[in-house]
């Protein structure tokens, strides 16, 4: 079933900014790299995403007087978690992890580059209007089934999975190829929302066994 032209691996935000020591560290974030490297050869098609913010981005707590990281703020498009500065365009924090091995990746989608709008999703920005072009790209390529992995499970992976379902793709999240941030129960909530939307949840070992 894998190595099928209608399937793609979508590798979300495997960047130093989300690794231990990065701007927005995800606990054990670097553990996803060897897992992704093991499953990547199963896929003929792969897309990488890269969180790619200007330094004055609206999602950074430091750009709002008196606000601290992990507080929330109401913006014109809704609630926004304020994050520590991370993945600033062109900095080492924004670089993809050097050990990530997905050489067949055909596209890198950068997101979060509009100063006034965040984008957890690889498909639609947080204003829920502006698209990244990824849906049209995948459909133009005849890709119908997506396998998601990367960081963070409860933010960029979950939002991307939900938008992918809304766009009509079959979606599977490879759980052990992801790690979460888990702010006030966000990880459990994300899995509930994904299950309700028909997102499949598998372990990398199941995928590798299917392909063997
Ligand atoms: C992410 C928070 C802010 C993610 C990106 O990749 O999950 N989370 N920016
Ligand atoms: Zn971000």
């Amino acid at each position: 079933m894998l190595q099928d032209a209608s399937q793609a691996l979508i590798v979300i935000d495997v960047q130093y900014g989300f690794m231990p020591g990065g701007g927005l560290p995800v606990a054990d974030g670097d553990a996803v790299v060897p897992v992704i490297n093991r499953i990547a050869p199963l896929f003929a098609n792969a897309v990488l995403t890269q969180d790619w913010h200007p330094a004055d981005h609206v999602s950074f707590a430091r750009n709002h007087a008196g606000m601290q990281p992990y507080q929330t703020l109401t913006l014109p498009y809704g609630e926004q978690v304020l994050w520590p500065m991370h993945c600033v365009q062109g900095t080492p924090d924004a670089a993809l992890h050097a050990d990530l091995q997905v050489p067949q990746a055909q596209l890198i989608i950068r997101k979060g580059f509009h100063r006034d709008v965040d984008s957890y999703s690889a498909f639609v920005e947080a204003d829920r209007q502006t698209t990244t072009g990824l849906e049209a790209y995948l459909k133009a390529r005849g890709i119908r089934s997506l396998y998601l992995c990367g960081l963070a499970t409860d933010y960029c992976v979950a939002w991307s999975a939900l938008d992918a379902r809304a766009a009509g793709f079959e979606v599977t999240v490879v759980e052990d190829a992801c790690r979460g941030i888990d702010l006030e129960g966000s990880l459990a909530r994300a899995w509930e929302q994904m299950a309700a939307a028909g997102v499949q949840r598998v372990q990398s070992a199941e995928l590798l066994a299917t392909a063997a």
Side-chain angles (χ1 to χ4, degrees), residues 129-201:
Q129 300 285 331
T130 309
T131 86
T132 64
L134 183 57
E135 175 185 347
Y137 168 85
L138 294 169
K139 288 183 175 172
R141 298 278 322 278
I143 292 165
R144 292 188 301 273
S145 173
L146 308 181
Y147 288 76
L148 271 61
C149 59
L151 303 170
T153 320
D154 39 348
Y155 287 92
C156 292
V157 174
W159 282 57
S160 297
L162 294 169
D163 282 353
R165 285 295 296 147
F169 295 98
E170 279 176 33
V171 181
T172 303
V173 171
V174 187
E175 182 172 12
D176 59 318
C178 301
R179 290 293 184 281
I181 294 175
D182 204 13
L183 280 185
E184 296 171 10
S186 59
L187 187 57
R189 214 156 47 235
W191 282 117
E192 282 164 23
Q193 288 171 342
M194 289 193 282
V199 173
Q200 307 292 312
R201 176 177 181 169

Side-chain angles (χ1 to χ4, degrees), residues 2-197:
L2 303 178
Q3 281 288 354
D4 178 320
S6 71
Q7 298 176 323
L9 181 68
I10 311 289
V11 181
I12 304 285
D13 296 0
V14 180
Q15 295 167 262
Y16 288 107
F18 302 112
M19 303 295 158
L24 201 181
V26 177
D28 212 20
D30 45 354
V32 304
V33 175
V35 183
I36 295 170
N37 290 348
R38 275 198 297 278
I39 62 173
L42 304 177
F43 295 89
N45 298 308
V47 171
L48 312 179
T49 73
Q50 202 170 13
D51 213 36
W52 196 251
H53 299 307
D56 59 354
H57 195 248
V58 70
S59 76
F60 296 164
R62 71 196 288 274
N63 294 328
H64 302 273
M67 299 300 288
Q68 295 301 315
Y70 307 105
Q71 291 182 328
T72 58
L73 188 63
T74 302
L75 293 179
Y77 57 76
E79 280 257 298
Q80 172 69 51
V81 178
L82 296 177
W83 303 104
M85 188 158 76
H86 64 277
C87 298
V88 171
Q89 296 169 359
T91 66
D93 201 66
L96 295 168
H97 197 296
D99 296 339
L100 186 66
Q101 287 171 28
V102 193
Q104 76 275 38
Q106 297 149 349
L107 177 71
I108 300 175
I109 283 276
R110 288 175 167 171
K111 60 184 180 62
F113 51 77
H114 290 124
R115 188 195 64 180
D116 296 321
V117 187
D118 204 0
S119 191
Y120 297 145
S121 168
F123 292 91
V124 186
E125 298 190 26
D127 61 4
R128 305 280 81 204
Q129 300 285 331
T130 309
T131 86
T132 64
L134 183 57
E135 175 185 347
Y137 168 85
L138 294 169
K139 288 183 175 172
R141 298 278 322 278
I143 292 165
R144 292 188 301 273
S145 173
L146 308 181
Y147 288 76
L148 271 61
C149 59
L151 303 170
T153 320
D154 39 348
Y155 287 92
C156 292
V157 174
W159 282 57
S160 297
L162 294 169
D163 282 353
R165 285 295 296 147
F169 295 98
E170 279 176 33
V171 181
T172 303
V173 171
V174 187
E175 182 172 12
D176 59 318
C178 301
R179 290 293 184 281
I181 294 175
D182 204 13
L183 280 185
E184 296 171 10
S186 59
L187 187 57
R189 214 156 47 235
W191 282 117
E192 282 164 23
Q193 288 171 342
M194 289 193 282

